[in-house]
Amino acid sequence: MLKAVNSEPVTPAVSWSFEYNPPMGGAAGEAFTNTLASSGMHPAAVLAREAIQNSVDARSKGEAKVGVRFLAKSLVRAEKAQFIAVSGLGTVKSRANALKISQPNCLKTLGEAAKPLNLLYIDDYNTTGLEGDPTDPDSKFYRFLLSLGDGSKEHSKEHTGGSYGFGKSVYSSNSAILSMFAYSRTVDGDGKPLSLLFGCGYFRKHKFEDAHYTGRAWFGVDTTPEGGLQIVEPLLNEDADRVAADLGFDAREVHEKGTSVLIVDAVVDTDEILKGVEDWWWPRLIRNELDVTVVDSKGKESFPRPKKREDLKPFIDAFYLADGQSPPNNKTDFRKSFLKVDDLALGVAGFKLLEKNRKDEYAVPEERLDSVALIRAPLMVVAYYRPWNAQNPPVVGTFFADEDIDDILRSAEPPAHDRWDPDARRLQDATGQSRAIVDRVLRAIKRNLRASQGAASPPPPPRPKKLTMLERTLANFLTPAKKGAQPPAVEPSSAPINLFYDEEPRAEAVGDKLRLTAAFSVKLKAEEDLGDMIARVRITCPVIEDGQAGDDLRLTISSSATVEPDPIKDGWSRFSLTQSSVKFVCESELYDPLWTVKFVPEIEPVGKD
């Protein structure tokens, strides 16, 4: 730790130190900036998502609301010259050729007084700051600025947003020279007030003056012992406060904890940041658990107002439905509570029918029609989920995950936290329960969206009897089955297909669970003068919720025919049908004995071979 050598306010020698390439190799500086570079989102949106998430995760106990400010500054002439001198950018410029930083950047124009140097400060409030002993690998300072891929938050008991340790990369990746400074007011390992200031550069691996470097660079006090490992320490307390002020950071009171990050040569627009805040953080904003201010380089203050965004209003309405603040009418507004799995609550979804505006257009952009905003405990929109084609009438939805599965969903997210992946490596467990839960949630979202969409649809026109295109023979069995119960009679139909049961659907006990089994056969009617015919089949087993079909149980299905996915109708399969019967044997996944389920085989002709 640094100590003052006398009572005079003499700042220790501070400069940029570049990390020598260690004998056993190490992470290059680019590893800290590339992780979130290909998320597919606008860079400003990624910055808004990750920077606020870092602050929300650092919320002080007892504080209901986190504050975040994005402040842009554009320096010229004397202010620019002073900043360059204090920040040591000349040292970075001296090896610019070796660093091969992408153009354009500020290094070539450092000496041009009238050329603006763009800075972006990100300040948070009601947070812990980078607390702990800075030399301790478990401290927030160490994890935030020195480690890479530290997944400590994954094992936290708190419902955090991040869990990979890559969120820091969002700052340097929005700097044209890949550099940032961090200034924090916090407490040390003994709980005493502490100020910290440290700079980081994340450049490419390079060779300079016959020495090899990883590309990582630190702005601090070099305390490397002779012949020892390289050590660069942050400026502390009065020294940190003094240099922070010279770098343009706003002063903090002694007990005002929080962290401020400065992105040097910022390449992101404040208007886009504001839009990104509204797009991804509206759940926390409307819950009044987040305050955000965006200040452009001319000093104009702006505040996110997601409720005034016509394209966000339907999602917000769906959120209020899911959250129980608005009652559903089951015509245009729907609320769907998902069934528990192994005593774990999954969550609730709300769905909103879209209506066209005066311009005969939907306010929601085309890529978000029929999408569902995925939300969990941190109240950030993880994604606008839509792995399917939009249908009519268009709806949007919001799924609010229950805290019971928050840790599971967090583990299902990649470093960019932009989706829930049931195949994520971190979901692996001995039972496969975690992956099954993520898969169940995603399937239930689609099923409930389609059900809401169907309920909101106008009734289809009557189909002509002679031109009917299918026969859907439904055999509905409520389980557990009653002994001796007979299947419901099959209504007569003009379609040339017979369906009959070899084994009626029945529920059997497997431990404390149930499993449904059934076997049926289909063939062409004997009286029909037909050769081979291509037929479609779909077999589902939905759980009955409030008198309506809910989530489908997974089925294992075997057939005596060759069955292939239908290229036209999603969820259906094709096979060749003759006068000889084709048999299907079905077995469901295990399910709760309190559930009521329905076995539904559907067959329709496609045409002749």
Side-chain angles (χ1 to χ4, degrees), residues 334-544:
F334 304 87
R335 184 178 189 271
K336 303 289 185 179
S337 182
F338 293 7
L339 293 171
K340 287 187 175 183
V341 174
D342 295 332
D343 294 326
L344 294 177
L346 300 185
V348 183
F351 298 98
K352 179 76 175 178
L353 179 70
L354 294 179
E355 297 180 1
K356 290 186 176 181
N357 56 26
R358 293 179 180 178
K359 297 180 179 179
D360 198 34
E361 297 174 343
Y362 296 112
V364 174
E366 184 176 352
E367 65 272 14
R368 289 186 182 172
L369 294 178
D370 280 14
S371 69
V372 179
L374 305 182
I375 302 168
R376 57 182 186 86
L379 293 175
M380 180 185 81
V381 176
V382 173
Y384 291 93
Y385 178 67
R386 198 194 79 177
W388 49 72
N389 294 325
Q391 296 184 10
N392 284 317
V395 299
V396 297
T398 296
F399 172 72
F400 195 6
D402 194 274
E403 289 189 359
D404 282 1
I405 62 169
D406 189 75
D407 291 341
I408 293 174
L409 294 176
R410 178 175 60 176
S411 295
E413 295 173 3
H417 304 286
D418 59 355
R419 66 183 183 276
W420 293 334
D421 181 4
D423 296 320
R425 176 65 177 82
R426 298 195 307 170
L427 287 176
Q428 183 173 341
D429 57 39
T431 64
Q433 181 197 48
S434 295
R435 288 182 175 176
I437 285 175
V438 176
D439 181 64
R440 173 64 65 83
V441 166
L442 297 179
R443 289 193 297 113
I445 288 172
K446 179 180 180 180
R447 176 64 62 184
N448 282 284
L449 180 141
R450 292 302 186 216
S452 299
Q453 199 167 38
S457 299
R463 291 177 290 181
K465 295 180 180 179
K466 297 298 182 181
L467 297 180
T468 181
M469 61 180 293
L470 59 83
E471 170 191 26
R472 295 188 179 181
T473 305
L474 305 179
N476 300 334
F477 289 86
L478 300 182
T479 57
K482 296 181 180 179
K483 186 175 180 181
Q486 296 298 318
V490 178
E491 295 182 3
S493 169
S494 60
I497 299 174
N498 274 331
L499 180 149
F500 53 91
Y501 280 96
D502 302 295
E503 296 179 19
E504 296 175 9
R506 65 187 184 89
E508 59 183 18
V510 181
D512 60 349
K513 302 288 185 180
L514 292 179
R515 174 187 285 129
L516 184 137
T517 60
F520 65 90
S521 296
V522 294
K523 67 177 182 178
L524 292 174
K525 291 180 178 178
E527 63 271 18
E528 299 287 346
D529 185 17
L530 296 171
D532 292 355
M533 172 180 288
I534 302 300
R536 290 191 184 98
V537 61
R538 179 172 68 176
I539 308 169
T540 55
C541 190
V543 179
I544 305 303

Side-chain angles (χ1 to χ4, degrees), residues 24 67 97 153 164 216 294 361 448 555 590:
M24 299 303 293
N97 290 336
K153 284 196 285 187
Y164 280 88
R216 296 176 66 195
V294 179
E361 297 174 343
N448 282 284
L555 295 174
L590 298 179

Side-chain angles (χ1 to χ4, degrees), residues 2 16 24 180 215 266 327 464 480:
L2 301 175
W16 283 98
M24 299 303 293
M180 57 174 277

Side-chain angles (χ1 to χ4, degrees), residues 55 66-71 120-125 127 183 248-250 252 258-262 291 293:
S55 298
V66 169
V68 179
R69 183 180 68 163
F70 296 85
L71 170 64
L120 181 66
Y121 298 82
I122 305 171
D123 311 310
D124 67 28
Y125 304 93
T127 62
Y183 169 55
F249 286 100
D250 279 359
R252 290 180 181 263
T259 299
S260 297
V261 173
L262 163 57
D291 279 338
T293 306

Side-chain angles (χ1 to χ4, degrees), residues 61-171:
K61 291 183 178 180
E63 295 289 352
K65 185 185 298 187
V66 169
V68 179
R69 183 180 68 163
F70 296 85
L71 170 64
K73 292 184 180 180
S74 188
L75 307 183
V76 294
R77 299 182 175 84
E79 287 184 332
K80 177 180 177 181
Q82 179 185 358
F83 182 88
I84 292 171
V86 175
S87 64
L89 290 185
T91 302
V92 179
K93 180 181 178 180
S94 67
R95 61 174 69 197
N97 290 336
L99 298 177
K100 297 179 180 178
I101 302 174
S102 299
Q103 298 289 340
N105 63 66
C106 70
L107 297 180
K108 282 191 174 183
T109 59
L110 289 184
E112 298 179 21
K115 184 72 173 180
L117 175 60
N118 297 319
L119 308 177
L120 181 66
Y121 298 82
I122 305 171
D123 311 310
D124 67 28
Y125 304 93
N126 297 335
T127 62
T128 63
L130 302 179
E131 63 185 356
D133 180 350
T135 63
D136 184 349
D138 290 330
S139 70
K140 291 187 177 180
F141 166 84
Y142 198 102
R143 296 204 307 263
F144 182 58
L145 295 172
L146 298 180
S147 64
L148 175 66
D150 184 341
S152 300
K153 284 196 285 187
E154 180 187 2
H155 308 292
S156 169
K157 294 181 180 179
E158 302 292 331
H159 295 299
T160 62
S163 59
Y164 280 88
F166 291 115
K168 64 178 74 68
S169 72
V170 74
Y171 305 105

Side-chain angles (χ1 to χ4, degrees), residues 270-316:
T270 51
D271 287 341
E272 291 294 337
I273 293 174
L274 185 67
K275 182 177 184 297
V277 173
E278 292 174 338
D279 275 342
W280 303 103
W281 283 102
W282 58 260
R284 198 171 188 93
L285 289 166
I286 66 175
R287 278 277 193 91
N288 199 30
E289 295 181 26
L290 175 67
D291 279 338
V292 177
T293 306
V294 179
V295 186
D296 67 17
S297 59
K298 296 181 180 179
K300 178 185 175 183
E301 286 189 346
S302 300
F303 306 92
R305 291 184 169 88
K307 290 183 179 180
K308 293 187 176 295
R309 288 261 305 269
E310 292 298 323
D311 60 323
L312 292 181
K313 278 184 177 179
F315 292 99
I316 295 173

